[in-house]
Amino acid sequence: MTDQKPIDKTKAQNRKILFSCVFVVGAMVGLAYASVPLYKLFCQVTGFGGTTQVATEAPVEVSEKTIKVRFNADVNSGLNWQFKPEQREITVRLGEDNLAYYMAENMSVQPITGQAVYNVTPLKAGQYFNKIACFCFDEQTLEPGQRVDMPVSFYVDPAIAEDINTQDVKTITLSYTFFKAEASVEAADGNEDQGG
């Protein structure tokens, strides 16, 4: 009977180690799935990586201080669209609601859905750049040859002038890149674009 106790103790230790390993692996898988939404939330809250903020309206007070906002547009090679800003640069008052337009045109012979990703540079200005309404919030579907104006309503938070880290920022560049949306990729399987 005395031989049975060391075997039982070893089995109990092995079970503890097994459960600990299963727990660690489960926690790692959970963290892997949570990392993308947590990183996205972190970027939205802090403006990290040039991520802009989302607002429902511009502040009531508008500063007399101004800043230049430049506009940039790119299209991923997998999307047969032309995409460009209607204006290259505007000077805005801090806190003022502004409206800028981009133009997109589907150059293919079939409907295509695109999704824009965006950021601002310098990256440290992201937390002060606020979008009120933007075409980038939703996927955009364009019919063959369709050309549309896409507005973005935004303001630059007056606090940018008070932050010691951003007092040197005189110009902010808002950049968009359009990609083919997943729905378009699936619909296009076996039926590739014929446009030029």
Side-chain angles (χ1 to χ4, degrees):
M1 288 234 173
T2 56
D3 292 340
Q4 188 69 19
K5 286 186 179 180
I7 292 173
D8 288 344
K9 190 175 182 182
T10 303
K11 283 183 178 180
Q13 287 176 337
N14 286 345
R15 282 190 196 121
K16 281 184 183 178
I17 291 171
L18 175 66
F19 289 131
S20 296
C21 289
V22 168
F23 175 78
V24 167
V25 168
M28 290 172 62
V29 169
L31 285 173
Y33 278 106
S35 64
V36 171
L38 289 175
Y39 179 74
K40 185 175 180 180
L41 178 64
F42 170 77
C43 290
Q44 288 173 339
V45 170
T46 64
F48 181 76
T51 302
T52 63
Q53 306 301 303
V54 177
T56 55
E57 60 185 26
V60 175
E61 289 189 37
V62 176
S63 172
E64 291 302 316
K65 295 180 180 179
T66 62
I67 195 164
K68 287 182 182 178
V69 178
R70 290 188 180 142
F71 302 94
N72 181 57
D74 295 300
V75 179
N76 178 269
S77 61
L79 182 64
N80 193 7
W81 282 11
Q82 181 182 10
F83 177 59
K84 64 182 181 180
E86 295 285 340
Q87 60 289 301
R88 284 285 175 206
E89 178 181 287
I90 59 175
T91 300
V92 302
R93 291 171 46 200
L94 299 180
E96 180 179 48
D97 187 356
N98 299 278
L99 191 60
Y101 288 92
Y102 283 76
M103 182 283 300
E105 183 175 5
N106 182 352
M107 307 301 285
S108 76
V109 295
Q110 66 184 25
I112 300 179
T113 301
Q115 176 72 53
V117 295
Y118 54 87
N119 74 333
V120 297
T121 53
L123 302 180
K124 61 186 175 181
Q127 64 183 322
Y128 298 106
F129 196 95
N130 293 269
K131 291 182 184 175
I132 299 168
C134 181
F135 59 87
C136 58
F137 294 160
D138 302 303
E139 292 180 348
Q140 305 292 323
T141 301
L142 298 182
E143 296 299 320
Q146 182 181 8
R147 179 183 173 132
V148 295
D149 287 329
M150 297 181 169
V152 57
S153 173
F154 69 93
Y155 71 91
V156 179
D157 191 327
I160 194 170
E162 308 306 320
D163 185 340
I164 194 162
N165 296 314
T166 56
Q167 288 180 349
D168 63 328
V169 175
K170 305 298 181 215
T171 302
I172 297 173
T173 302
L174 174 61
S175 294
Y176 289 97
T177 302
F178 252 107
F179 292 87
K180 185 181 281 189
E182 289 298 320
S184 284
V185 172
E186 292 169 9
D189 283 347
N191 187 15
E192 294 299 318
D193 288 33
Q194 302 297 318

mmCIF file with all atom_site columns, all heavy atoms in Angstrom, residues 24-39:
data_model
loop_
_atom_site.group_PDB
_atom_site.id
_atom_site.type_symbol
_atom_site.label_atom_id
_atom_site.label_alt_id
_atom_site.label_comp_id
_atom_site.label_asym_id
_atom_site.label_entity_id
_atom_site.label_seq_id
_atom_site.pdbx_PDB_ins_code
_atom_site.Cartn_x
_atom_site.Cartn_y
_atom_site.Cartn_z
_atom_site.occupancy
_atom_site.B_iso_or_equiv
_atom_site.pdbx_formal_charge
_atom_site.auth_seq_id
_atom_site.auth_comp_id
_atom_site.auth_asym_id
_atom_site.auth_atom_id
_atom_site.pdbx_PDB_model_num
ATOM 1   N N   . VAL A 1 24 ? -2.678  27.593 -20.163 1.00 0.00 ? 24 VAL A N   1
ATOM 2   C CA  . VAL A 1 24 ? -1.765  28.537 -20.808 1.00 0.00 ? 24 VAL A CA  1
ATOM 3   C C   . VAL A 1 24 ? -2.026  28.593 -22.311 1.00 0.00 ? 24 VAL A C   1
ATOM 4   O O   . VAL A 1 24 ? -2.110  29.674 -22.903 1.00 0.00 ? 24 VAL A O   1
ATOM 5   C CB  . VAL A 1 24 ? -0.289  28.170 -20.508 1.00 0.00 ? 24 VAL A CB  1
ATOM 6   C CG1 . VAL A 1 24 ? 0.663   28.938 -21.407 1.00 0.00 ? 24 VAL A CG1 1
ATOM 7   C CG2 . VAL A 1 24 ? 0.032   28.426 -19.047 1.00 0.00 ? 24 VAL A CG2 1
ATOM 8   N N   . VAL A 1 25 ? -2.198  27.440 -22.950 1.00 0.00 ? 25 VAL A N   1
ATOM 9   C CA  . VAL A 1 25 ? -2.468  27.410 -24.393 1.00 0.00 ? 25 VAL A CA  1
ATOM 10  C C   . VAL A 1 25 ? -3.810  28.095 -24.681 1.00 0.00 ? 25 VAL A C   1
ATOM 11  O O   . VAL A 1 25 ? -3.928  28.889 -25.613 1.00 0.00 ? 25 VAL A O   1
ATOM 12  C CB  . VAL A 1 25 ? -2.450  25.960 -24.937 1.00 0.00 ? 25 VAL A CB  1
ATOM 13  C CG1 . VAL A 1 25 ? -3.012  25.891 -26.342 1.00 0.00 ? 25 VAL A CG1 1
ATOM 14  C CG2 . VAL A 1 25 ? -1.040  25.402 -24.891 1.00 0.00 ? 25 VAL A CG2 1
ATOM 15  N N   . GLY A 1 26 ? -4.831  27.802 -23.879 1.00 0.00 ? 26 GLY A N   1
ATOM 16  C CA  . GLY A 1 26 ? -6.143  28.451 -24.054 1.00 0.00 ? 26 GLY A CA  1
ATOM 17  C C   . GLY A 1 26 ? -6.053  29.961 -23.890 1.00 0.00 ? 26 GLY A C   1
ATOM 18  O O   . GLY A 1 26 ? -6.652  30.722 -24.661 1.00 0.00 ? 26 GLY A O   1
ATOM 19  N N   . ALA A 1 27 ? -5.300  30.399 -22.879 1.00 0.00 ? 27 ALA A N   1
ATOM 20  C CA  . ALA A 1 27 ? -5.135  31.844 -22.665 1.00 0.00 ? 27 ALA A CA  1
ATOM 21  C C   . ALA A 1 27 ? -4.403  32.488 -23.843 1.00 0.00 ? 27 ALA A C   1
ATOM 22  O O   . ALA A 1 27 ? -4.761  33.590 -24.275 1.00 0.00 ? 27 ALA A O   1
ATOM 23  C CB  . ALA A 1 27 ? -4.376  32.092 -21.365 1.00 0.00 ? 27 ALA A CB  1
ATOM 24  N N   . MET A 1 28 ? -3.401  31.824 -24.387 1.00 0.00 ? 28 MET A N   1
ATOM 25  C CA  . MET A 1 28 ? -2.657  32.362 -25.532 1.00 0.00 ? 28 MET A CA  1
ATOM 26  C C   . MET A 1 28 ? -3.556  32.470 -26.762 1.00 0.00 ? 28 MET A C   1
ATOM 27  O O   . MET A 1 28 ? -3.501  33.471 -27.483 1.00 0.00 ? 28 MET A O   1
ATOM 28  C CB  . MET A 1 28 ? -1.432  31.492 -25.830 1.00 0.00 ? 28 MET A CB  1
ATOM 29  C CG  . MET A 1 28 ? -0.358  31.600 -24.762 1.00 0.00 ? 28 MET A CG  1
ATOM 30  S SD  . MET A 1 28 ? 0.992   30.422 -24.946 1.00 0.00 ? 28 MET A SD  1
ATOM 31  C CE  . MET A 1 28 ? 1.656   30.888 -26.512 1.00 0.00 ? 28 MET A CE  1
ATOM 32  N N   . VAL A 1 29 ? -4.387  31.463 -27.004 1.00 0.00 ? 29 VAL A N   1
ATOM 33  C CA  . VAL A 1 29 ? -5.315  31.513 -28.138 1.00 0.00 ? 29 VAL A CA  1
ATOM 34  C C   . VAL A 1 29 ? -6.312  32.648 -27.939 1.00 0.00 ? 29 VAL A C   1
ATOM 35  O O   . VAL A 1 29 ? -6.594  33.422 -28.859 1.00 0.00 ? 29 VAL A O   1
ATOM 36  C CB  . VAL A 1 29 ? -6.039  30.153 -28.322 1.00 0.00 ? 29 VAL A CB  1
ATOM 37  C CG1 . VAL A 1 29 ? -7.191  30.269 -29.309 1.00 0.00 ? 29 VAL A CG1 1
ATOM 38  C CG2 . VAL A 1 29 ? -5.055  29.088 -28.784 1.00 0.00 ? 29 VAL A CG2 1
ATOM 39  N N   . GLY A 1 30 ? -6.846  32.791 -26.732 1.00 0.00 ? 30 GLY A N   1
ATOM 40  C CA  . GLY A 1 30 ? -7.780  33.887 -26.435 1.00 0.00 ? 30 GLY A CA  1
ATOM 41  C C   . GLY A 1 30 ? -7.144  35.250 -26.646 1.00 0.00 ? 30 GLY A C   1
ATOM 42  O O   . GLY A 1 30 ? -7.753  36.153 -27.227 1.00 0.00 ? 30 GLY A O   1
ATOM 43  N N   . LEU A 1 31 ? -5.909  35.408 -26.182 1.00 0.00 ? 31 LEU A N   1
ATOM 44  C CA  . LEU A 1 31 ? -5.208  36.683 -26.370 1.00 0.00 ? 31 LEU A CA  1
ATOM 45  C C   . LEU A 1 31 ? -4.928  36.951 -27.843 1.00 0.00 ? 31 LEU A C   1
ATOM 46  O O   . LEU A 1 31 ? -4.984  38.100 -28.291 1.00 0.00 ? 31 LEU A O   1
ATOM 47  C CB  . LEU A 1 31 ? -3.907  36.696 -25.573 1.00 0.00 ? 31 LEU A CB  1
ATOM 48  C CG  . LEU A 1 31 ? -4.057  36.891 -24.072 1.00 0.00 ? 31 LEU A CG  1
ATOM 49  C CD1 . LEU A 1 31 ? -2.711  36.718 -23.377 1.00 0.00 ? 31 LEU A CD1 1
ATOM 50  C CD2 . LEU A 1 31 ? -4.651  38.257 -23.763 1.00 0.00 ? 31 LEU A CD2 1
ATOM 51  N N   . ALA A 1 32 ? -4.634  35.907 -28.601 1.00 0.00 ? 32 ALA A N   1
ATOM 52  C CA  . ALA A 1 32 ? -4.389  36.092 -30.040 1.00 0.00 ? 32 ALA A CA  1
ATOM 53  C C   . ALA A 1 32 ? -5.648  36.630 -30.720 1.00 0.00 ? 32 ALA A C   1
ATOM 54  O O   . ALA A 1 32 ? -5.579  37.540 -31.540 1.00 0.00 ? 32 ALA A O   1
ATOM 55  C CB  . ALA A 1 32 ? -3.950  34.785 -30.679 1.00 0.00 ? 32 ALA A CB  1
ATOM 56  N N   . TYR A 1 33 ? -6.803  36.083 -30.386 1.00 0.00 ? 33 TYR A N   1
ATOM 57  C CA  . TYR A 1 33 ? -8.057  36.562 -30.978 1.00 0.00 ? 33 TYR A CA  1
ATOM 58  C C   . TYR A 1 33 ? -8.410  37.960 -30.496 1.00 0.00 ? 33 TYR A C   1
ATOM 59  O O   . TYR A 1 33 ? -8.950  38.765 -31.234 1.00 0.00 ? 33 TYR A O   1
ATOM 60  C CB  . TYR A 1 33 ? -9.211  35.600 -30.670 1.00 0.00 ? 33 TYR A CB  1
ATOM 61  C CG  . TYR A 1 33 ? -9.261  34.422 -31.589 1.00 0.00 ? 33 TYR A CG  1
ATOM 62  C CD1 . TYR A 1 33 ? -8.861  33.165 -31.153 1.00 0.00 ? 33 TYR A CD1 1
ATOM 63  C CD2 . TYR A 1 33 ? -9.687  34.559 -32.900 1.00 0.00 ? 33 TYR A CD2 1
ATOM 64  C CE1 . TYR A 1 33 ? -8.894  32.073 -31.997 1.00 0.00 ? 33 TYR A CE1 1
ATOM 65  C CE2 . TYR A 1 33 ? -9.738  33.471 -33.760 1.00 0.00 ? 33 TYR A CE2 1
ATOM 66  C CZ  . TYR A 1 33 ? -9.327  32.232 -33.300 1.00 0.00 ? 33 TYR A CZ  1
ATOM 67  O OH  . TYR A 1 33 ? -9.368  31.171 -34.141 1.00 0.00 ? 33 TYR A OH  1
ATOM 68  N N   . ALA A 1 34 ? -8.091  38.277 -29.254 1.00 0.00 ? 34 ALA A N   1
ATOM 69  C CA  . ALA A 1 34 ? -8.437  39.582 -28.686 1.00 0.00 ? 34 ALA A CA  1
ATOM 70  C C   . ALA A 1 34 ? -7.442  40.666 -29.076 1.00 0.00 ? 34 ALA A C   1
ATOM 71  O O   . ALA A 1 34 ? -7.750  41.854 -28.978 1.00 0.00 ? 34 ALA A O   1
ATOM 72  C CB  . ALA A 1 34 ? -8.508  39.482 -27.167 1.00 0.00 ? 34 ALA A CB  1
ATOM 73  N N   . SER A 1 35 ? -6.265  40.291 -29.549 1.00 0.00 ? 35 SER A N   1
ATOM 74  C CA  . SER A 1 35 ? -5.220  41.290 -29.795 1.00 0.00 ? 35 SER A CA  1
ATOM 75  C C   . SER A 1 35 ? -5.592  42.285 -30.887 1.00 0.00 ? 35 SER A C   1
ATOM 76  O O   . SER A 1 35 ? -5.310  43.477 -30.770 1.00 0.00 ? 35 SER A O   1
ATOM 77  C CB  . SER A 1 35 ? -3.892  40.617 -30.123 1.00 0.00 ? 35 SER A CB  1
ATOM 78  O OG  . SER A 1 35 ? -3.987  39.894 -31.330 1.00 0.00 ? 35 SER A OG  1
ATOM 79  N N   . VAL A 1 36 ? -6.230  41.832 -31.958 1.00 0.00 ? 36 VAL A N   1
ATOM 80  C CA  . VAL A 1 36 ? -6.582  42.745 -33.050 1.00 0.00 ? 36 VAL A CA  1
ATOM 81  C C   . VAL A 1 36 ? -7.600  43.787 -32.593 1.00 0.00 ? 36 VAL A C   1
ATOM 82  O O   . VAL A 1 36 ? -7.376  44.984 -32.746 1.00 0.00 ? 36 VAL A O   1
ATOM 83  C CB  . VAL A 1 36 ? -7.065  41.967 -34.297 1.00 0.00 ? 36 VAL A CB  1
ATOM 84  C CG1 . VAL A 1 36 ? -7.628  42.911 -35.336 1.00 0.00 ? 36 VAL A CG1 1
ATOM 85  C CG2 . VAL A 1 36 ? -5.912  41.158 -34.865 1.00 0.00 ? 36 VAL A CG2 1
ATOM 86  N N   . PRO A 1 37 ? -8.741  43.385 -31.990 1.00 0.00 ? 37 PRO A N   1
ATOM 87  C CA  . PRO A 1 37 ? -9.681  44.418 -31.537 1.00 0.00 ? 37 PRO A CA  1
ATOM 88  C C   . PRO A 1 37 ? -9.100  45.309 -30.435 1.00 0.00 ? 37 PRO A C   1
ATOM 89  O O   . PRO A 1 37 ? -9.379  46.504 -30.392 1.00 0.00 ? 37 PRO A O   1
ATOM 90  C CB  . PRO A 1 37 ? -10.900 43.645 -31.035 1.00 0.00 ? 37 PRO A CB  1
ATOM 91  C CG  . PRO A 1 37 ? -10.622 42.208 -31.195 1.00 0.00 ? 37 PRO A CG  1
ATOM 92  C CD  . PRO A 1 37 ? -9.300  42.046 -31.856 1.00 0.00 ? 37 PRO A CD  1
ATOM 93  N N   . LEU A 1 38 ? -8.275  44.731 -29.552 1.00 0.00 ? 38 LEU A N   1
ATOM 94  C CA  . LEU A 1 38 ? -7.669  45.547 -28.494 1.00 0.00 ? 38 LEU A CA  1
ATOM 95  C C   . LEU A 1 38 ? -6.687  46.561 -29.081 1.00 0.00 ? 38 LEU A C   1
ATOM 96  O O   . LEU A 1 38 ? -6.636  47.711 -28.647 1.00 0.00 ? 38 LEU A O   1
ATOM 97  C CB  . LEU A 1 38 ? -6.977  44.660 -27.462 1.00 0.00 ? 38 LEU A CB  1
ATOM 98  C CG  . LEU A 1 38 ? -7.900  43.850 -26.559 1.00 0.00 ? 38 LEU A CG  1
ATOM 99  C CD1 . LEU A 1 38 ? -7.094  42.915 -25.667 1.00 0.00 ? 38 LEU A CD1 1
ATOM 100 C CD2 . LEU A 1 38 ? -8.783  44.760 -25.726 1.00 0.00 ? 38 LEU A CD2 1
ATOM 101 N N   . TYR A 1 39 ? -5.892  46.137 -30.060 1.00 0.00 ? 39 TYR A N   1
ATOM 102 C CA  . TYR A 1 39 ? -4.958  47.053 -30.714 1.00 0.00 ? 39 TYR A CA  1
ATOM 103 C C   . TYR A 1 39 ? -5.723  48.163 -31.436 1.00 0.00 ? 39 TYR A C   1
ATOM 104 O O   . TYR A 1 39 ? -5.355  49.329 -31.365 1.00 0.00 ? 39 TYR A O   1
ATOM 105 C CB  . TYR A 1 39 ? -4.064  46.290 -31.694 1.00 0.00 ? 39 TYR A CB  1
ATOM 106 C CG  . TYR A 1 39 ? -3.083  47.173 -32.416 1.00 0.00 ? 39 TYR A CG  1
ATOM 107 C CD1 . TYR A 1 39 ? -1.967  47.670 -31.750 1.00 0.00 ? 39 TYR A CD1 1
ATOM 108 C CD2 . TYR A 1 39 ? -3.273  47.530 -33.742 1.00 0.00 ? 39 TYR A CD2 1
ATOM 109 C CE1 . TYR A 1 39 ? -1.055  48.495 -32.404 1.00 0.00 ? 39 TYR A CE1 1
ATOM 110 C CE2 . TYR A 1 39 ? -2.378  48.354 -34.395 1.00 0.00 ? 39 TYR A CE2 1
ATOM 111 C CZ  . TYR A 1 39 ? -1.269  48.825 -33.722 1.00 0.00 ? 39 TYR A CZ  1
ATOM 112 O OH  . TYR A 1 39 ? -0.391  49.646 -34.374 1.00 0.00 ? 39 TYR A OH  1
#
